Amino acid sequence: PFWNQKPDLLICPLCHFIYACTPLGFNQLGQDLVFVNQNESIESLLSSNAKLTFEEQEGNINYQFITNLILNEMDIKKKEINNIEVFIRHGGKKQFYSLTIIDKNLIKTILNCKKELNYIKNIKAKIMDQYISVSEQALNRLFSRRSLWDLIFYLLINEANTFAIRQLLNIEIKRKEGKSMDYKIARAIQLWNAGNILAKDFKGDANNENKLRGAVIKLQNALRVEDRDLFFDLLIRLYSSINKAIPDAFLQAMKSTEDFKEIGTAFILGILGDKENVQKKQDIEYA
C-alpha cells in the first residue's frame, strides 16, 4: 500500500496524509487489499476484518471471503444479519477497486448451497489451453444475481468434468428457494439416473456408442437454444432404437423453459456420467 511504502512522487502534506490513511482497516491478502464493512456494530466490524485468513491460491479470493464471512463465521439462525459490503483493491498490473454487497438473500443462497460450493472449491476446468476456477465463476454469477446456465452450458460444450457441472445444476435449482426446491433436486437425480441407464443400454456396441455420442452433442445444442421440439425428437429416436419407453418425468419439461433446462441438463449429465474414481473431497482438483 502507498506505493509499497516507497512513494516516488512529490506531493503536498495533505495528500500525503490522505494516501497514508487510505490502507488503514484493509487486510493485505496476497496482492489484494480487503475491507469488510459488516456494519451491525463496531464489534462485528472489528471481528469480520480481524478474522480474515488467506490461502495463497490464485483466483480463489472470492471463495475465501465467503468461507470466512458466511460458511464458518456467521450463524444467521441466531440473529438477523444486515447487508455486508466487501471492498477489494485488486493488485497486479491492473489495479482497481471493486465493491461486493452480500445481502440476506445471497447469504441464504450460499448457506443452502454450502455442500455444493465445498465440493467445487478447488475444481478447475481446462478450456482450450487455460484453466478456469469453477467456484470463482459460479460465485461471480451469484454475486451479480445472474443464473448459472451460461456457465453450465459452456462447461458442457467444452466437455468439462460432469461432477462439477452437476453441482452447478443443484446450485441453480437451490438459489431460487422455491417451495418445490426439494422436489426439483429429487427430479434431477431421477433424470440423471435415467440418462445413466440409457448410456448403459448403448454400451458395448461401438456403433451404438458413436450414435449416442453424436446424439448427446445435438441434445446439448437443442437445450442451449431452448429448442424443445428438436430435443424431444432426438429423445424419441434414442429410446425407440432400444425399444424402451421415454420416462414420464420428461413430460414436465413442457411446463416452462426452466423445467426444460433442469430436466435436460440432468439427463445429459447422466448419460455422460461422473468419473468412477472421483472422490468428493475439497482438496481434489478435477480437470
Side-chain angles (χ1 to χ4, degrees):
F2 195 30
W3 304 303
N4 296 319
Q5 288 82 44
K6 295 179 181 179
D8 57 359
L9 181 67
L10 182 63
I11 56 178
C12 73
L14 179 58
C15 293
H16 192 288
F17 177 75
I18 292 173
Y19 272 116
C21 289
T22 298
L24 295 178
F26 280 76
N27 285 283
Q28 186 158 7
L29 306 182
Q31 297 185 66
D32 302 322
L33 291 171
V34 183
F35 175 72
V36 180
N37 187 26
Q38 217 299 48
N39 54 17
E40 180 182 289
S41 66
I42 295 296
E43 288 75 16
S44 63
L45 190 67
L46 292 171
S47 175
S48 296
N49 286 279
K51 293 182 180 180
L52 281 175
T53 58
F54 180 69
E55 300 171 7
E56 291 293 339
Q57 295 181 13
E58 184 179 354
N60 200 27
I61 193 166
N62 278 344
Y63 183 86
Q64 292 179 56
F65 290 149
I66 286 186
T67 300
N68 282 281
L69 297 175
I70 301 171
L71 299 184
N72 294 336
E73 301 292 343
M74 296 182 177
D75 186 357
I76 64 170
K77 295 179 182 178
K78 293 181 180 178
K79 61 180 181 180
E80 285 292 315
I81 294 178
N82 295 321
N83 292 350
I84 303 170
E85 299 169 336
V86 179
F87 295 91
I88 308 174
R89 195 206 73 169
H90 299 267
K93 294 181 180 179
K94 295 182 178 179
Q95 295 187 1
F96 62 96
Y97 284 88
S98 67
L99 168 63
T100 297
I101 298 178
I102 305 176
D103 61 21
K104 295 176 183 178
N105 291 331
L106 181 56
I107 291 172
K108 289 180 181 178
T109 298
I110 298 301
L111 288 173
N112 283 341
C113 304
K114 179 178 180 179
K115 180 178 69 174
E116 288 81 6
L117 288 170
N118 278 325
Y119 280 159
I120 64 174
K121 179 178 179 180
N122 294 326
I123 295 181
K124 294 184 185 297
K126 186 177 182 181
I127 308 296
M128 304 297 285
D129 295 327
Q130 295 182 337
Y131 285 89
I132 65 169
S133 169
V134 176
S135 62
E136 185 175 13
Q137 293 293 325
L139 290 169
N140 284 340
R141 284 161 177 77
L142 291 177
F143 281 148
S144 57
R145 285 65 176 172
R146 290 185 291 139
S147 77
L148 304 182
W149 286 120
D150 65 320
L151 177 60
I152 290 171
F153 294 145
Y154 181 67
L155 294 177
L156 266 177
I157 292 171
N158 286 280
E159 300 181 350
N161 184 272
T162 52
F163 174 77
I165 304 174
R166 197 174 174 189
Q167 306 314 309
L168 294 177
L169 175 60
N170 287 342
I171 293 172
E172 178 60 26
I173 294 173
K174 288 183 175 183
R175 65 186 287 268
K176 299 177 186 65
E177 290 191 272
K179 294 181 179 179
S180 60
M181 183 182 71
D182 292 337
Y183 167 73
K184 288 191 172 185
I185 290 292
R187 184 179 67 183
I189 295 172
Q190 180 185 358
L191 268 299
W192 187 93
N193 289 330
N196 201 244
I197 292 171
L198 182 71
K200 290 177 181 178
D201 289 333
F202 276 82
K203 195 173 182 180
D205 187 314
N207 290 329
N208 279 344
E209 288 183 7
N210 288 332
K211 179 180 178 181
L212 180 61
R213 194 175 298 112
V216 167
I217 295 173
K218 293 177 181 178
L219 285 169
Q220 290 176 0
N221 290 331
L223 189 64
R224 183 172 55 86
V225 299
E226 302 175 8
D227 189 336
R228 296 184 215 187
D229 292 336
L230 176 58
F231 188 92
F232 275 94
D233 181 58
L234 293 165
L235 202 63
I236 292 170
R237 292 184 185 183
L238 283 174
Y239 276 96
S240 296
S241 65
I242 57 173
N243 295 317
K244 283 192 174 183
I246 299 174
D248 293 338
F250 278 104
L251 294 174
Q252 298 176 30
M254 304 305 292
K255 288 183 177 180
S256 68
T257 300
E258 199 72 12
D259 285 302
F260 171 53
K261 289 190 287 190
E262 290 171 5
I263 288 172
T265 301
F267 178 67
I268 291 172
L269 289 173
I271 295 176
L272 297 174
D274 290 344
K275 292 182 179 179
E276 292 182 1
N277 61 346
V278 167
Q279 296 181 12
K280 298 176 183 178
K281 292 184 178 180
Q282 298 177 23
D283 58 347
I284 291 181
E285 176 178 307
Y286 303 83

